[in-house]
């Protein structure tokens, strides 16, 4: 039996670019050197996309369950039996239905330990809504499947990591949703993830303000003085090395972000606009705080370019490698802790002496 990490891949919306970037990613031979990929979908749907792209060289190994995966091939599990009508570039009920079937089966295997991590191709947050899926997106769905603990939407790349306090909510709800307790939880979660998942011994975190110019000493808002600063101070007192709040515009504009291991933004666009400007194409969406590892590319369904063979698979490839690295980091850290217990807690080398910062 192979010891290679098994990466489950949900196909996302069948009418979008999900299967295109999956096929392109798995056509890269280096992927199989690091992990065993298992796609959750259907062979006929995959075949349709392969023919549409003119990429018929990649042959999937169809299996019944992850235990049967061939570590030297791209594997595929059929998640339904019926034929599916593909309408490339169209958002419809079909796209949502089969995206959910793929996601459900992959998540079941992830929770039951049959695969080591999950990489999710993009879904459409509207057409996937049903009695079985009433969530703003992947993050909230996986949060509930994981047991409902707090999670952090964490965008990661080679030179930048950005988390957000509030996720997929309207801008008008951002300020009322921010509290000292919520910021503190996200800082603690980010700090733990940087140590456990990225092997950074003493992470340094920057916290952004909510208002322009970080409130300008109360002239442009009180959230900084009343909420954010007390949260930063309490987190620091708890051992989290964090600083702020920083005005978001100048912070990214003058490159201050390069001085930190991660950045905590107050809301979605405040963090993701600069992240995608700086790291688009190589960025990865990582859900920190889950019991399992889940990543995804930093783009959406791409209906406008579906079927045209022009979608860039770089972010999806990065998502596969990120999931593999994080799983390996967690496993090695668990082994080190077991060794420490066996030696009565005596530590000769720490995990951080043995690893470089892996992203």
């Amino acid at each position: 039996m192979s010891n290679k990490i098994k990466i489950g891949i949900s196909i996302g919306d069948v009418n979008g670019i999900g299967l295109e970037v999956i096929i392109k990613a798995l056509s890269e031979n280096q992927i199989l050197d690091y992990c065993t990929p298992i796609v959750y979908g259907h062979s006929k749907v995959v075949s349709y996309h392969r023919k549409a792209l003119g990429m018929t060289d990649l042959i999937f190994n169809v299996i019944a369950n992850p235990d049967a995966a061939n570590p030297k091939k791209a594997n595929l599990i059929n998640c339904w039996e019926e034929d599916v009508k593909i309408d490339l570039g169209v958002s419809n009920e079909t796209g949502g239905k089969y995206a959910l079937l793929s996601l459900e089966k992959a998540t079941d295997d992830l929770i039951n330990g049959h695969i080591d991590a999950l990489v999710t191709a993009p879904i459409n947050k509207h057409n996937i809504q049903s009695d079985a899926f009433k969530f703003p997106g992947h993050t909230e769905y996986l949060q509930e499947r994981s047991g409902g603990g707090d999670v952090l939407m964490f965008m990661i790349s080679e030179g930048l990591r950005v988390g957000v306090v509030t996720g997929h909510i309207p801008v008008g709800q951002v300020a009322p949703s921010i509290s000292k307790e919520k910021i503190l939880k996200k800082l603690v979660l980010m700090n733990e993830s940087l140590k456990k998942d990225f092997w950074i011994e003493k992470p340094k975190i920057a916290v952004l303000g909510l208002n322009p110019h970080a409130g300008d000493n109360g002239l442009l808002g009180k959230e900084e003085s009343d909420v954010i600063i007390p949260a930063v101070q309490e987190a620091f007192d708890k051992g989290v090395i964090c600083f702020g709040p920083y005005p978001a515009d100048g912070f990214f504009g003058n490159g201050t972000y390069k001085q930190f291991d991660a950045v905590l933004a107050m809301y979605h666009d405040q963090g993701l606009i600069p992240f995608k400007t700086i790291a688009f194409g190589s960025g990865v969406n990582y859900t920190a705080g889950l019991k399992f590892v889940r990543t995804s590319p930093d783009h959406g369904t791409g209906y406008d370019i579906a079927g045209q063979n022009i979608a860039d698979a770089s972010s999806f490839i990065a998502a596969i490698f990120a999931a593999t690295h994080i799983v390996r980091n967690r496993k090695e850290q668990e082994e080190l802790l077991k060794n420490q217990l066996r030696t009565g807690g005596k530590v000769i080398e720490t995990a951080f002496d043995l690893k470089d910062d892996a992203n």
Side-chain angles (χ1 to χ4, degrees):
M1 180 179 293
S2 172
N3 291 322
K4 279 203 299 185
I5 292 168
K6 291 180 180 178
I7 301 293
I9 299 172
S10 61
I11 62 173
D13 194 309
V14 296
N15 295 321
I17 62 171
L19 272 166
E20 177 176 340
V21 295
I22 290 170
I23 291 167
K24 288 179 175 178
L26 300 186
S27 295
E28 298 287 336
N29 291 330
Q30 59 178 331
I31 293 289
L32 295 178
D33 293 336
Y34 291 90
C35 67
T36 300
I38 302 172
V39 175
Y40 288 78
H42 196 279
S43 54
K44 288 185 178 180
V45 173
V46 172
S47 179
Y48 178 95
H49 280 267
R50 286 171 55 239
K51 291 177 181 177
L53 298 169
M55 298 182 66
T56 55
D57 290 341
L58 178 64
I59 305 299
F60 282 85
N61 177 45
V62 180
I63 57 177
N65 57 70
D67 289 340
N70 187 330
K72 297 181 179 180
K73 293 184 178 181
N75 300 275
L76 172 67
I77 292 177
N78 287 326
C79 299
W80 56 84
E81 297 180 0
E82 68 272 18
D83 291 336
V84 177
K85 184 179 184 296
I86 307 297
D87 293 300
L88 289 173
V90 177
S91 171
N92 57 27
E93 184 179 341
T94 297
K97 175 182 177 180
Y98 293 99
L100 180 56
L101 288 176
S102 169
L103 178 62
E104 285 179 328
K105 175 59 177 172
T107 305
D108 287 344
D109 282 350
L110 181 65
I111 291 172
N112 291 321
H114 300 314
I115 56 178
D116 297 301
L118 173 62
V119 179
T120 58
I123 59 173
N124 181 304
K125 295 178 176 62
H126 299 286
N127 67 28
I128 199 172
Q129 297 298 318
S130 66
D131 290 340
F133 191 100
K134 297 180 179 179
F135 305 92
H138 276 119
T139 301
E140 294 80 7
Y141 170 81
L142 292 168
Q143 180 180 12
E144 180 169 287
R145 292 294 305 270
S146 179
D150 197 19
V151 298
L152 174 72
M153 183 179 180
F154 207 1
M155 305 299 294
I156 58 176
S157 71
E158 186 68 28
L160 178 62
R161 301 181 187 90
V162 178
V164 292
V165 175
T166 58
H168 296 113
I169 64 173
V171 173
Q173 296 177 16
V174 170
S177 298
I178 290 175
S179 66
K180 186 184 81 168
E181 291 73 25
K182 183 175 289 187
I183 295 171
L184 180 61
K185 285 182 180 180
K186 299 297 183 183
L187 281 170
V188 170
L189 212 165
M190 178 180 281
N191 188 61
E192 291 176 349
S193 178
L194 290 168
K195 290 181 176 181
K196 179 175 68 174
D197 300 328
F198 301 97
W199 291 66
I200 302 174
E201 184 177 8
K202 295 180 180 178
K204 184 180 177 184
I205 301 171
V207 180
L208 302 182
L210 172 66
N211 298 295
H213 306 292
D216 204 0
N217 294 318
L219 181 65
L220 302 177
K222 300 290 187 181
E223 285 84 3
E224 283 75 16
S225 60
D226 294 351
V227 179
I228 300 175
I229 291 175
V232 170
Q233 184 60 57
E234 185 168 340
F236 198 93
D237 292 342
K238 291 179 179 292
V240 179
I241 305 173
C242 55
F243 304 90
Y246 294 92
D249 54 353
F251 181 83
F252 290 102
N254 61 24
T256 305
Y257 69 90
K258 297 176 183 178
Q259 301 172 19
F260 295 89
D261 296 301
V263 181
L264 183 65
M266 291 298 111
Y267 58 96
H268 184 279
D269 281 14
Q270 184 189 52
L272 269 66
I273 288 175
F275 180 87
K276 291 189 176 185
T277 300
I278 295 167
F280 193 77
S282 63
V284 173
N285 180 1
Y286 171 52
T287 308
L290 295 173
K291 297 175 183 177
F292 43 74
V293 175
R294 175 261 173 164
T295 64
S296 71
D298 65 358
H299 58 73
T301 53
Y303 290 134
D304 57 325
I305 59 171
Q308 299 178 37
N309 200 12
I310 59 175
D312 187 349
S314 299
S315 181
F316 202 89
I317 292 171
I320 293 174
F321 281 127
T324 304
H325 287 316
I326 293 169
V327 170
R328 186 179 295 120
N329 288 347
R330 287 189 178 188
K331 286 185 174 182
E332 292 185 10
Q333 191 174 81
E334 288 173 3
E335 189 60 33
L336 283 168
L337 291 173
K338 289 179 183 177
N339 289 337
Q340 290 175 19
L341 290 173
R342 283 195 291 266
T343 58
K346 182 179 180 181
V347 182
I348 299 174
E349 293 178 299
T350 69
F352 308 106
D353 295 325
L354 302 176
K355 290 288 289 184
D356 294 324
D357 171 18
N359 187 17

